[in-house]
Amino acid sequence: MPVNGMPRELISRERLHRRVDELALEIERDFADSEDLLCVGVLKGSVFFMSDLLQRLSRPLVVDFFQASSYRGETTAPGEVRIRRDLDHSLAGRDVLLIEDIVDTGYTMRTIMALMGFRGARSVRLCVLLDKACKRETPVQIHYRGFEVDDVFVVGYGLDYNDRYRNLPYVGVLDEVDVETE
Ligand code: PRP
């Protein structure tokens, strides 16, 4: 286990839930005229946020999931993103709400949003819990933003370190001193 101690709290459970309440109200209002809303969670980090958000919406909607992998190795081009799990549903003519835990460089979301448009979605909107804007390398349009965060290693409420900490009910920071090299 390469991490010592618990992450220190950055965004409390109460703040998260208040913000999710606000985002749900905005989304409910903006999609009031949409007849065919498809909500797409980007695995795995979005699942906790997505679950809380969608339970606050009373309108009809369909849930689907997409999983991508970012390759940042020396043998791949910067920002190369590959599909690991594709959608079950067709996008043609539908309004899509993409739900993501964090936008960092932006490559993952840029690629996924372009793909959704290419597949014929009527509209694509992005709802992100955390925006690490200081790390952006390619522009991404975020329609619904939970919080902006600095360049710190965030975990919890879906976000992980080596697939751990996702189930923390708050967003915490793993300080550099706590993270040892494996
Ligand atoms: C994280 C996050 C985004 C992506 C953001 O996913 O959930 O999908 O990285 O990075 P980017 O803006 O630099 O492209 P990760 O690959 O860690 O998978 P996970 O959601 O399963 O944790």
Side-chain angles (χ1 to χ4, degrees):
M1 180 70 181
V3 176
N4 301 315
M6 289 298 282
R8 69 183 161 85
E9 186 175 280
L10 181 69
I11 307 171
S12 69
R13 179 184 199 144
E14 292 70 29
R15 275 183 76 202
L16 285 170
H17 287 200
R18 275 201 302 274
R19 190 70 190 116
V20 175
D21 284 342
E22 292 168 357
L23 292 172
L25 279 175
E26 264 186 74
I27 289 166
E28 191 109 270
R29 186 195 61 212
D30 291 354
F31 286 94
D33 297 330
S34 170
E35 289 177 5
D36 200 9
L37 176 59
L38 182 67
C39 296
V40 175
V42 182
L43 296 171
K44 303 174 191 170
S46 69
V47 293
F48 292 79
F49 173 45
M50 181 178 188
S51 170
D52 282 345
L53 182 72
L54 297 190
Q55 286 177 75
R56 287 161 165 82
L57 302 185
S58 52
R59 51 151 305 118
L61 54 84
V62 171
V63 170
D64 208 342
F65 292 97
F66 190 88
Q67 189 168 22
S69 286
S70 304
Y71 289 85
R72 296 171 177 122
E74 287 174 9
T75 57
T76 54
E80 186 176 334
V81 174
R82 294 180 194 164
I83 299 173
R84 292 183 64 194
R85 184 209 184 274
D86 209 339
L87 299 170
D88 291 331
H89 293 270
S90 160
L91 296 178
R94 305 186 91 147
D95 294 314
V96 175
L97 179 65
L98 271 170
I99 302 168
E100 178 62 297
D101 57 345
I102 189 165
V103 176
D104 195 314
T105 63
Y107 287 120
T108 304
M109 262 310 123
R110 184 194 67 174
T111 305
I112 294 175
M113 290 176 86
L115 181 66
M116 307 276 141
F118 180 75
R119 288 182 177 178
R122 192 170 83 120
S123 69
V124 181
R125 286 183 174 224
L126 174 59
C127 178
V128 173
L129 178 69
L130 303 179
D131 180 9
K132 204 184 263 189
C134 58
K135 295 279 283 181
R136 200 75 86 252
E137 293 178 19
T138 186
V140 173
Q141 188 180 7
I142 297 176
H143 302 84
Y144 309 98
R145 173 188 291 101
F147 302 89
E148 186 166 328
V149 291
D150 295 333
D151 185 17
V152 288
F153 201 104
V154 276
V155 294
Y157 202 55
L159 292 124
D160 75 308
Y161 172 65
N162 283 349
D163 258 339
R164 295 173 189 267
Y165 299 108
R166 293 192 196 273
N167 60 318
L168 285 179
Y170 60 91
V171 172
V173 173
L174 283 180
D175 290 312
E176 222 175 306
V177 66
D178 291 329
V179 181
E180 300 163 1
T181 46
E182 286 180 283

